[in-house]
Amino acid sequence: MRSRSNSGVRLDYYQRIVHRLIMSHQEPVTGLFPASNVNSHAWIRDNVYCILAVWGLSMAYKKIADQDEDRAKCYELEQSCVKLMRGLLMAMMNQKDKVETFKITQNPLDSLHAKYSSRNGQPVVGDGEWGHLQIDAVSLYLLILAQMTASGLQIVFSLDEVSFIQNLVFYIESAYCIPDYGIWERGDKTNHGEPELNASSIGMAKAALEAMNELDLFGARGGPASVIHVLADEAHKCQAVLQSMLPRESNSKELDSGILCVIGFPAFAVDDPQLIHNTKDAILSRLQGKYGCKRFLRDGYRTPKEDPSRLYYERWELRMFENIECEWPLFYCYLILFHAFQNDKMAVKNYAERLERIMVRSDDGILLIPESYAVPQNLVANEYQHPGSQSREVVGRCPFLWGQSLFILGRLLQEGFLAVGELDPLNRRLGAQKKPDVVVQVVIIAEDNEIRDKLAEHDLHVQTIAEVAPIEVQPARVLSHLYTYLGRNRKLGLTGRKSRDVGILSTSKLYSLKDRIFAFTPQFVDLSRFYIASDNELMIDILKGEINFLKSAWDLLGRPLVTLVLKNIHLDQDKIPLAMIQTMRKLKSGYINGTRVMLGNLKDFLNTSAITDLSFLGSTEDGYPDRLHPDVQTYLDEHLLRSFSHRNTMNLRGGQLRPRSLRRRMSCKGAIKKTRSINVDSDTLGMEGPTQLSERRLSSIVPPPWLQANKQNHISVFATTPEEGPADQSEIIRENIYPIDPHHNRTAMERRSEFARQQEIQNIPKILIQRHRTDNNFADTEVEELIAMLRETENLEEQGDILQYLVDTQGLDFNTAGLGIKNKPTEIEGNFVEEPVDIGSSSNDEPKVAEMPTVVIDTSNINSQSQSEGMLEEGRVVTVRDLLKGLYEKACQQKLWGLVRHTAGMLGKRVEDLAKAVTDLLVRQKQVTVGMPPNNEYTITAPLPEAELRQLIHDAYGDDESTAMLTQELMVYLAMFIRTEPQLFHEMLRLRVGLIIQVMAKELSRTLNCDGEAASEHLLNLSPFEMKNLLYHILSGKEFAVSSVARGSLSIVSCKSSRVSKKSQIGLGDPEGEDALVATIDDRQGQWLRRRRLDGALNRVPRDFYSRVWTVLEKCQGLAIEGRILQQSLTQEMTPGELKFALEVETALNQIPQPEYRQLVVEALMVLTLVTEHNMVPSLGGVIYVEHLVHKANQLFLEDQRKVQGDATLCCAKSNGKDHQAASGMLLCGGAAYICQHLYDSAPSGSYGTMTYMARAVALVLDCVPKHGEMDCTIS
């Protein structure tokens, strides 16, 4: 320290400045700062930043307080901070009802206000009159509240205030999926009032959540009741999304200087030093100027070209603001603090000098920070020509208190009055330092002694649930229920936490409650959730993923602890599955997938695990903080009894019944298959012709051949599947449709079962009510026989077909009790029941319903008598739905996955985490589409509630329940991959799940050498684990082979080369001898076609593709792709790196149904970018039709093929030129969109490569390229 006098004098100088510039404006009643002398509104964000200088100065005084007057000054400054923070707290508490509503609706109109009156703390503008939803402002308040409390200030006074702040934590915890108006209050940069996800808001929220966690708001004097709790998973979600966004700020702002406050002081929200560096460099290189930094590209605020009479901008005028955006000195203050915390003295000095040059001196010599600098009106033309060359003038407030306050903090740090640690008492700045490796502790507990003994046979010694007492093991849903009591407050009308989700970080801790200790099993093992939980291999795979995730994400004190319970339900034919044993051995070895693990008993880990106190469950409001809340007490008592009990599964049929011989006049075989819509065989992938029917998915209705003869035109009982292609082309009108073979799939029609055929011939009018299809010729007798068959068949697939048929004809709620049995004891739910004899509907009765027009009742065609006798004596009704549930559970146990998926779909089950999975994809800037392209594709662009999502998916696939279920399943896997391996998704903007399913089926049909129907059958029967595996191989583009495992199930194995040994190439029959040779040659041959197909289906594009298309668009009037024109005006509105622009291009490309054709169009666009980047021509002329280029390239290719007698001479390049097309009107070689298959299968480079032909096509088609003369063609 310097001598007392010098440092004291210098501090007194700063105290005078702070007093004059900042504290003199503080309102005496509320403690808030007005925006300026003429505007009395107080913004939360600006107020918090203003007070930071006061707080910093108070700590500087505290250090040298050896005289009474210094202590007095220190106290005065501290109380000024407390007054302001409490003023903001009061203003927000007045809006407590909004906080409560917002937790549920997350609607911008229900948000806390961004500004209040500085005189009385009341709202100053209406809910809809301002972009109030600014999560970064509330987060900044919480962050600084935490830092000030940690530095010793007492800001919160009562427990009611504590519960309000706990609810503010809930208010910001979903920041990662709530679009807001952001730090500049604008939302989308056109300022039309559309909120968007902003990286600066998410980063600030993440910082606030971490700072608040386990913080005692009463400081050193508090107790358990004043501690704030944060679920670690919420903060981690914010971090993951933030990392995926940086350096982008939002969809419309590709960069924003506001991110400086997230990567440095005050938030320190990024843990990855490289990402911090890249983000800062990106901001400096594109936004820094002489007078500070621009806020973001094309920011029109206060520029001379802005029209002050309106708030919003027209889309075309954004281009005018380029290069003349205002520059803000504020960001130099952020950069000084950023480098001071990095201890980089040179950089601090550099920015301090730059800042001094642009500060304004007041009359009494104080240096002031102005708000911003703009280009004067008369110099705009020069600035456009030479950006950064003209001198600028001050616009806006001066002094700008937000900047002034940060400037003073920087000065106090530079002169040594403050150490960086004092401005950051919670040590957030150390987040980016390397952490030691995490050791994950794993505990396996057996449900009962029997399972414990079975494990002991494999030398794995574990305890049972009973033996781990007094520690209690509970499922995650108990924890999620307990957390709903957090933050409840009757007086304030606050109801606690709304979200029911508890992630792996939360269940990896132990929890103490009075003298009890709880361990919770992770959420993913909760079996009541969804069918993928009954696939043991998948659960093990997810477990490995979660352990890996803990290694990177865990940052709490103590080690993470994963508790797993092994139950009877996991056993496979009374044995412990091999996969589980192998995994446990791996865990025992101490390493699994590169993560260190320790396997042990719960009591061994008590001292090394993180333990959280659930003290908030006490009845504090009733004055008994030491007693459990009565509701909690009853919940726990009830729950402990039934936490790990089994559910009885329904027995479909009595085991005692011997099958009696039945005259099977009909069979429902194939009823499930008829609902499938995955199309593989059709030559035009995804071109099934449009549908003019409003019914849910009769994609193409064709009168079957045997009906055409009789000139009857009734629709069949079953919707025909798209594989059966429209037979009559005349009714179908659509631009750009390619001819489809009328005889294309006749066999598919022939295959339909006898039964369906009989039904069709009998002239049936058909009524559709949701899914209850009623056919009035279907008398009770038939239903009787079906139920009888159902009771006697052992085969689950057959039961499935019968039930599918019953659902189609009678509906899910049809009561089957008492049908199909003639006075026989049956067993339902294990009870024997005598059935009354059924007289009313014996087979010789004529059908009573036949002549009447069909009236749909729920139990459609059963007369009243059989309805009354359908009730069981217990008064139970057995509906088709109940039978389906029983079938679903059996299929799960027997691992018949195709049936499981189908019955799950019919029962309307949905993946628990569906909405969360979709949100995970969307917030990482990936849009999702469901449905089969091109007609039924729906794009999901914003998070939707669970029920709406499910409805959307099922609308997209109509009656195809299996594929709808598969879509939900794949979305969950995609979300898992994007969390664990985000690199798989580079350069992909939209994930088109329908196309991915088709490509998966195509790949299976290629590897197994089978037709499309068999392939989609195999696909739907893959176990969830293999499904995830196949999806992984397709995403990563790795080669794979399919090997057969026992019981006909397939497994996907990676293979290093494309030539796999014959053994692993097992399909349905080994290709032997010569065939095997052919198979491997073919495989190598289709390589490029396959690769283009995969890339096209996954929407993969080359690096910087979209920004390069932007440069092409700038030089022509538009690009036409499949009938959609991208206008040049897009470049006026959007910058090259903007996500909104990329989505426009993507939407145009998605009009192309065939993936391989789409890829060629992308290649053609890349050739055009090369033309512009090498400045060969000043302009490319009018609208460019990209497809013309591709077709021209195809012509050139075929000409070359004729010259060299290439492969294509067998199909498209035949010399006589007549026979280009097969009878079907398709190309002989089956190439999509009239492009020869052999062109699709050419490598891009080389003299016969696609790029060569594209380049020649560009030269021929575009008028602007010189046709002769010398061109400089040096290759760089």
Side-chain angles (χ1 to χ4, degrees):
M1 285 301 281
R2 280 165 277 190
S3 71
R4 155 77 192 108
S5 52
N6 280 349
S7 48
V9 170
R10 190 78 181 137
L11 268 185
D12 291 345
Y13 162 71
Y14 281 121
Q15 195 255 338
R16 280 197 300 279
I17 292 180
V18 166
H19 197 273
R20 182 177 306 167
L21 294 183
I22 298 177
M23 288 167 67
S24 61
H25 295 294
Q26 194 169 17
E27 282 283 346
V29 179
T30 58
L32 303 178
F33 293 105
S36 64
N37 301 334
V38 288
N39 181 350
S40 68
H41 297 178
W43 271 262
I44 297 180
R45 183 186 306 101
D46 296 51
N47 271 259
V48 173
Y49 276 122
C50 286
I51 207 69
L52 286 179
V54 182
W55 177 50
L57 193 60
S58 76
M59 291 190 291
Y61 265 116
K62 199 186 257 178
K63 283 208 295 198
I64 62 158
D66 52 358
Q67 292 181 7
D68 288 348
E69 59 173 315
D70 291 340
R71 289 196 197 100
K73 279 176 190 160
C74 170
Y75 186 71
E76 180 198 353
L77 292 165
E78 286 183 345
Q79 290 313 300
S80 166
C81 297
V82 172
K83 175 125 185 146
L84 172 104
M85 295 301 277
R86 288 194 59 74
L88 287 173
L89 181 61
M90 294 309 112
M92 290 192 276
M93 283 183 78
N94 284 333
Q95 296 197 312
K96 57 184 183 295
D97 304 341
K98 283 183 161 303
V99 174
E100 184 56 35
T101 340
F102 185 81
K103 285 189 302 193
I104 303 161
T105 63
Q106 294 177 354
N107 181 338
L109 296 177
D110 296 327
S111 68
L112 284 172
H113 281 198
K115 56 179 186 175
Y116 300 95
S117 157
S118 60
R119 303 206 176 92
N120 57 16
Q122 293 301 316
V124 281
V125 289
D127 291 350
E129 295 164 26
W130 196 259
H132 282 303
L133 177 52
Q134 296 166 29
I135 290 180
D136 73 304
V138 179
S139 304
L140 177 74
Y141 174 81
L142 290 175
L143 170 66
I144 300 302
L145 172 71
Q147 293 278 26
M148 286 181 171
T149 305
S151 76
L153 297 187
Q154 174 86 41
I155 295 167
V156 176
F157 292 175
S158 72
L159 284 178
D160 293 324
E161 289 171 10
V162 172
S163 16
F164 179 73
I165 285 173
Q166 178 68 64
N167 278 275
L168 281 187
V169 167
F170 300 147
Y171 179 91
I172 64 167
E173 78 176 356
S174 302
Y176 65 93
C177 61
I178 302 179
D180 70 341
Y181 293 101
I183 186 171
W184 311 125
E185 310 192 290
R186 298 204 146 195
D188 186 289
K189 72 173 169 206
T190 50
N191 215 14
H192 281 266
E194 294 168 30
E196 35 178 29
L197 270 186
N198 290 295
S200 51
S201 298
I202 296 171
M204 199 53 87
K206 180 225 177 206
L209 289 170
E210 291 180 340
M212 275 286 161
N213 193 17
E214 306 291 325
L215 179 82
D216 192 332
L217 288 177
F218 290 174
R221 307 190 191 87
S226 52
V227 173
I228 295 291
H229 298 271
V230 178
L231 274 86
D233 298 275
E234 303 301 322
H236 189 270
K237 281 180 205 158
C238 289
Q239 172 181 334
V241 174
L242 177 66
Q243 285 195 328
S244 74
M245 287 179 80
L246 289 180
R248 182 192 299 286
E249 159 75 349
S250 68
N251 280 6
S252 69
K253 304 195 251 309
E254 57 173 293
L255 269 180
D256 190 317
S257 298
I259 294 180
L260 287 171
C261 66
V262 168
I263 60 174
F265 180 83
F268 301 106
V270 185
D271 298 346
D272 174 2
Q274 191 55 48
L275 188 59
I276 295 177
H277 183 75
N278 296 350
T279 306
K280 178 180 68 81
D281 284 356
I283 291 173
L284 295 185
S285 63
R286 304 199 46 195
L287 298 173
Q288 182 175 318
K290 264 193 298 198
Y291 295 88
C293 297
K294 300 164 176 167
R295 298 192 305 180
F296 49 87
L297 299 172
R298 298 190 181 180
D299 168 20
Y301 184 56
R302 293 218 174 105
T303 55
K305 289 277 189 189
E306 184 182 44
D307 177 351
S309 64
R310 55 188 159 89
L311 270 176
Y312 63 91
Y313 304 128
E314 296 297 349
R315 304 210 177 267
W316 51 265
E317 68 179 336
L318 287 173
R319 186 72 187 258
M320 302 190 316
F321 305 135
E322 197 161 306
N323 295 330
I324 59 162
E325 304 99 333
C326 291
E327 292 180 357
W328 295 57
L330 160 73
F331 297 113
Y332 277 169
C333 304
Y334 273 120
L335 285 163
I336 288 173
L337 289 169
F338 177 87
H339 290 293
F341 274 90
Q342 301 257 342
N343 201 13
D344 179 349
K345 294 202 170 60
M346 285 302 295
V348 171
K349 188 160 171 280
N350 171 15
Y351 283 111
E353 284 167 5
R354 286 185 182 208
L355 191 57
E356 267 176 44
R357 278 184 233 134
I358 55 176
M359 287 170 77
V360 179
R361 273 198 190 276
S362 67
D363 304 337
D364 45 10
I366 297 179
L367 285 173
L368 305 180
I369 297 257
E371 186 168 2
S372 59
Y373 279 93
V375 181
Q377 184 72 49
N378 55 350
L379 301 177
V380 168
N382 298 349
E383 181 73 15
Y384 274 145
Q385 282 169 350
H386 308 286
S389 60
Q390 308 301 308
S391 57
R392 298 182 171 228
E393 58 191 12
V394 171
V395 289
R397 293 166 282 183
C398 184
F400 179 44
L401 292 187
W402 173 354
Q404 196 73 37
S405 171
L406 293 179
F407 169 68
I408 293 168
L409 274 187
R411 272 298 175 82
L412 291 172
L413 284 172
Q414 279 163 279
E415 297 185 19
F417 291 113
L418 279 179
V420 285
E422 291 168 292
L423 281 179
D424 176 29
L426 290 169
N427 293 330
R428 295 202 44 75
R429 64 190 182 288
L430 307 177
Q433 294 185 359
K434 196 165 166 11
K435 303 176 191 64
D437 276 354
V438 174
V439 178
V440 182
Q441 307 171 140
V442 183
V443 173
I444 294 170
I445 297 173
E447 186 178 34
D448 51 32
N449 296 347
E450 201 179 323
I451 292 187
R452 181 194 60 188
D453 300 341
K454 284 190 172 135
L455 279 173
E457 292 168 19
H458 296 277
D459 198 28
L460 295 162
H461 302 286
V462 301
Q463 294 180 304
T464 61
I465 295 184
E467 290 169 347
V468 295
I471 302 173
E472 303 170 40
V473 181
Q474 295 287 347
R477 54 177 185 274
V478 178
L479 181 62
S480 108
H481 182 82
L482 294 180
Y483 263 114
T484 56
Y485 291 91
L486 182 55
R488 288 194 187 184
N489 186 302
R490 281 199 298 273
K491 275 193 281 186
L492 292 172
L494 298 170
T495 60
R497 185 169 189 259
K498 281 287 171 282
S499 160
R500 308 289 303 201
D501 192 47
V502 287
I504 185 81
L505 293 172
S506 306
T507 53
S508 298
K509 300 193 278 190
L510 291 173
Y511 290 84
S512 63
L513 179 57
K514 305 292 166 267
D515 43 4
R516 302 155 77 169
I517 294 183
F518 288 95
F520 293 99
T521 56
Q523 199 167 349
F524 70 88
V525 297
D526 203 343
L527 264 176
S528 61
R529 292 158 64 85
F530 188 59
Y531 65 77
I532 53 181
S534 50
D535 180 6
N536 295 326
E537 281 189 307
L538 183 70
M539 298 316 282
I540 289 169
D541 194 50
I542 296 176
L543 170 69
K544 288 177 183 166
E546 299 284 288
I547 288 179
N548 210 4
F549 169 76
L550 282 172
K551 171 178 141 184
S552 55
W554 184 262
D555 54 359
L556 306 165
L557 289 171
R559 290 173 172 178
L561 171 72
V562 181
T563 312
L564 301 165
V565 176
L566 193 61
K567 311 181 191 172
N568 283 304
I569 203 162
H570 293 141
L571 299 183
D572 190 8
Q573 299 167 345
D574 230 26
K575 291 194 192 68
I576 294 169
L578 185 63
M580 287 194 171
I581 298 291
Q582 287 169 340
T583 309
M584 289 181 205
R585 291 206 169 120
K586 258 198 188 146
L587 289 169
K588 202 171 163 187
S589 75
Y591 271 94
I592 188 160
N593 292 11
T595 308
R596 278 200 60 200
V597 286
M598 277 183 77
L599 191 63
N601 287 334
L602 261 179
K603 58 175 191 305
D604 309 337
F605 294 143
L606 276 180
N607 301 330
T608 51
S609 303
I611 298 192
T612 300
D613 190 12
L614 296 174
S615 48
F616 57 84
L617 295 172
S619 313
T620 315
E621 285 193 272
D622 305 329
Y624 296 111
D626 298 337
R627 278 192 210 162
L628 272 187
H629 193 292
D631 301 353
V632 179
Q633 189 62 58
T634 48
Y635 175 76
L636 281 176
D637 292 347
E638 278 176 25
H639 206 89
L640 290 182
L641 300 176
R642 57 182 179 77
S643 65
F644 282 116
S645 64
H646 307 311
R647 299 168 300 159
N648 278 333
T649 55
M650 183 167 201
N651 225 345
L652 265 183
R653 22 171 300 280
Q656 276 60 34
L657 288 181
R658 292 290 355 112
R660 57 198 169 102
S661 58
L662 229 198
R663 290 169 305 151
R664 300 203 177 182
R665 286 205 311 276
M666 48 186 191
S667 122
C668 303
K669 190 163 165 35
I672 289 183
K673 236 180 210 173
K674 289 188 182 53
T675 61
R676 302 276 161 82
S677 68
I678 303 176
N679 165 34
V680 183
D681 281 346
S682 148
D683 301 322
T684 53
L685 180 56
M687 302 256 338
E688 265 56 84
T691 141
Q692 281 130 342
L693 288 139
S694 55
E695 204 247 309
R696 286 183 60 192
R697 198 204 89 260
L698 292 175
S699 294
S700 43
I701 301 253
V702 196
W706 53 87
L707 278 187
Q708 287 164 353
N710 309 336
K711 295 284 173 285
Q712 292 177 330
N713 49 357
H714 297 297
I715 295 168
S716 62
V717 180
F718 294 116
T720 54
T721 64
E723 284 187 359
E724 275 133 50
D728 179 9
Q729 281 291 212
S730 58
E731 335 164 281
I732 288 178
I733 304 141
R734 171 178 179 240
E735 33 170 353
N736 212 340
I737 182 144
Y738 300 98
I740 289 174
D741 174 10
H743 316 287
H744 173 49
N745 238 338
R746 185 59 54 77
T747 50
M749 301 178 186
E750 247 66 288
R751 277 199 297 265
R752 304 168 72 201
S753 63
E754 258 329 287
F755 171 59
R757 208 170 291 192
Q758 285 171 15
Q759 296 308 319
E760 278 151 349
I761 296 166
Q762 292 173 11
N763 191 348
I764 309 159
K766 174 156 175 268
I767 295 177
L768 288 164
I769 301 216
Q770 293 168 352
R771 353 211 340 198
H772 309 332
R773 312 224 180 126
T774 319
D775 314 303
N776 53 5
N777 79 318
F778 203 66
D780 303 343
T781 15
E782 258 104 341
V783 178
E784 281 277 302
E785 294 208 3
L786 280 179
I787 303 278
M789 278 166 57
L790 181 66
R791 288 177 190 286
E792 66 166 35
T793 171
E794 291 279 350
N795 181 338
L796 291 190
E797 300 278 353
E798 238 172 81
Q799 294 180 5
D801 282 336
I802 295 171
L803 287 173
Q804 167 72 44
Y805 184 75
L806 283 174
V807 171
D808 284 349
T809 53
Q810 315 295 335
L812 274 175
D813 298 317
F814 169 67
N815 173 23
T816 65
L819 294 174
I821 321 158
K822 301 279 185 266
N823 203 0
K824 266 203 176 158
T826 70
E827 182 194 344
I828 291 187
E829 280 287 329
N831 303 317
F832 280 98
V833 187
E834 273 293 349
E835 290 285 347
V837 185
D838 175 4
I839 320 160
S841 53
S842 61
S843 39
N844 54 6
D845 268 11
E846 76 263 42
K848 299 186 175 51
V849 211
E851 304 81 22
M852 300 157 42
T854 314
V855 184
V856 180
I857 321 163
D858 232 7
T859 52
S860 327
N861 302 324
I862 300 179
N863 51 24
S864 54
Q865 200 206 327
S866 66
Q867 258 184 16
S868 61
E869 57 93 42
M871 307 293 171
L872 289 169
E873 280 176 14
E874 298 176 339
R876 290 205 39 172
V877 174
V878 182
T879 57
V880 175
R881 178 181 275 118
D882 296 333
L883 294 172
L884 263 177
K885 277 185 188 150
L887 178 63
Y888 167 76
E889 292 183 358
K890 277 197 161 166
C892 273
Q893 282 166 11
Q894 296 187 21
K895 313 272 188 266
L896 299 170
W897 296 112
L899 192 57
V900 169
R901 288 189 177 98
H902 191 80
T903 47
M906 288 167 71
L907 287 167
K909 287 193 175 296
R910 61 169 187 252
V911 188
E912 242 80 357
D913 298 339
L914 185 61
K916 208 175 84 191
V918 171
T919 306
D920 273 337
L921 294 166
L922 291 173
V923 295
R924 289 170 175 79
Q925 298 92 59
K926 309 288 176 210
Q927 295 190 348
V928 187
T929 70
V930 296
M932 294 297 175
N935 299 319
N936 288 349
E937 214 173 6
Y938 297 94
T939 306
I940 304 170
T941 53
L944 292 173
E946 201 89 43
E948 273 179 50
L949 257 177
R950 188 175 183 289
Q951 195 49 50
L952 180 86
I953 292 175
H954 283 254
D955 289 347
Y957 294 104
D959 295 336
D960 184 2
E961 299 293 359
S962 316
T963 315
M965 263 351 258
L966 183 56
T967 298
Q968 295 191 37
E969 205 181 307
L970 290 179
M971 283 170 151
V972 172
Y973 303 152
L974 286 167
M976 284 178 191
F977 289 139
I978 205 164
R979 284 196 295 264
T980 54
E981 305 191 46
Q983 72 280 1
L984 289 178
F985 295 85
H986 281 328
E987 312 299 336
M988 290 158 63
L989 279 183
R990 272 203 186 115
L991 303 166
R992 301 167 74 188
V993 184
L995 256 189
I996 291 177
I997 291 177
Q998 287 187 354
V999 168
M1000 285 166 92
K1002 261 202 152 141
E1003 285 291 276
L1004 276 183
S1005 91
R1006 183 184 66 82
T1007 345
L1008 292 173
N1009 231 335
C1010 59
D1011 68 344
E1013 191 176 329
S1016 56
E1017 199 54 37
H1018 283 307
L1019 178 68
L1020 287 166
N1021 276 304
L1022 285 181
S1023 76
F1025 173 69
E1026 296 301 348
M1027 188 69 75
K1028 179 171 178 244
N1029 213 342
L1030 178 61
L1031 177 64
Y1032 178 79
H1033 280 90
I1034 280 178
L1035 280 178
S1036 58
K1038 288 185 178 154
E1039 292 283 343
F1040 66 91
V1042 178
S1043 66
S1044 239
V1045 190
R1047 288 197 302 186
S1049 58
L1050 301 173
S1051 101
I1052 310 292
V1053 286
S1054 294
C1055 51
K1056 292 287 179 281
S1057 76
S1058 54
R1059 291 206 189 92
V1060 190
S1061 68
K1062 283 181 212 153
K1063 279 204 187 71
S1064 65
Q1065 203 81 7
I1066 300 179
L1068 302 174
D1070 268 353
E1072 280 303 319
E1074 291 166 28
D1075 297 353
L1077 200 66
V1078 177
T1080 44
I1081 294 171
D1082 280 356
D1083 204 38
R1084 209 177 69 215
Q1085 201 180 359
Q1087 211 171 354
W1088 279 104
L1089 167 65
R1090 172 169 169 258
R1091 187 153 163 197
R1092 286 196 171 98
R1093 200 172 267 164
L1094 283 184
D1095 285 345
L1098 296 171
N1099 289 13
R1100 262 214 190 95
V1101 293
R1103 284 194 58 175
D1104 303 327
F1105 172 72
Y1106 299 106
S1107 52
R1108 293 164 86 172
V1109 171
W1110 190 91
T1111 55
V1112 174
L1113 203 49
E1114 210 179 13
K1115 292 205 171 176
C1116 64
Q1117 268 150 34
L1119 291 167
I1121 299 171
E1122 191 87 10
R1124 271 187 88 120
I1125 296 189
L1126 293 170
Q1127 299 287 356
Q1128 187 183 12
S1129 59
L1130 288 175
T1131 59
Q1132 303 290 321
E1133 177 195 347
M1134 304 172 189
T1135 54
E1138 199 171 304
L1139 202 62
K1140 271 167 56 183
F1141 176 73
L1143 287 168
E1144 291 282 343
V1145 180
E1146 174 78 11
T1147 308
L1149 285 172
N1150 280 358
Q1151 300 298 309
I1152 303 175
Q1154 310 92 332
E1156 55 268 54
Y1157 184 42
R1158 179 187 192 275
Q1159 250 355 62
L1160 280 188
V1161 170
V1162 168
E1163 287 177 34
L1165 283 167
M1166 284 306 282
V1167 173
L1168 285 173
T1169 63
L1170 296 172
V1171 174
T1172 51
E1173 282 166 15
H1174 293 96
N1175 282 330
M1176 290 166 64
V1177 285
S1179 150
L1180 296 173
V1183 175
I1184 298 174
Y1185 291 88
V1186 187
E1187 280 129 301
H1188 287 188
L1189 298 175
V1190 180
H1191 283 282
K1192 188 73 192 164
N1194 186 44
Q1195 273 175 5
L1196 296 169
F1197 169 73
L1198 294 178
E1199 283 164 23
D1200 277 5
Q1201 286 284 309
R1202 286 193 193 103
K1203 283 178 202 156
V1204 300
Q1205 288 296 309
D1207 291 346
T1209 46
L1210 299 173
C1211 52
C1212 307
K1214 281 195 176 171
S1215 43
N1216 56 15
K1218 284 181 197 141
D1219 209 347
H1220 282 236
Q1221 298 174 357
S1224 63
M1226 297 306 299
L1227 295 183
L1228 279 178
C1229 55
Y1234 291 112
I1235 304 286
C1236 179
Q1237 189 93 356
H1238 294 286
L1239 180 64
Y1240 285 126
D1241 204 19
S1242 309
S1245 55
S1247 53
Y1248 294 104
T1250 50
M1251 290 308 245
T1252 314
Y1253 292 112
M1254 294 287 180
R1256 284 168 59 190
V1258 169
L1260 287 169
V1261 175
L1262 292 189
D1263 307 330
C1264 57
V1265 181
K1267 296 284 178 279
H1268 41 77
E1270 292 292 308
M1271 285 292 284
D1272 177 23
C1273 279
T1274 47
I1275 292 169
S1276 56

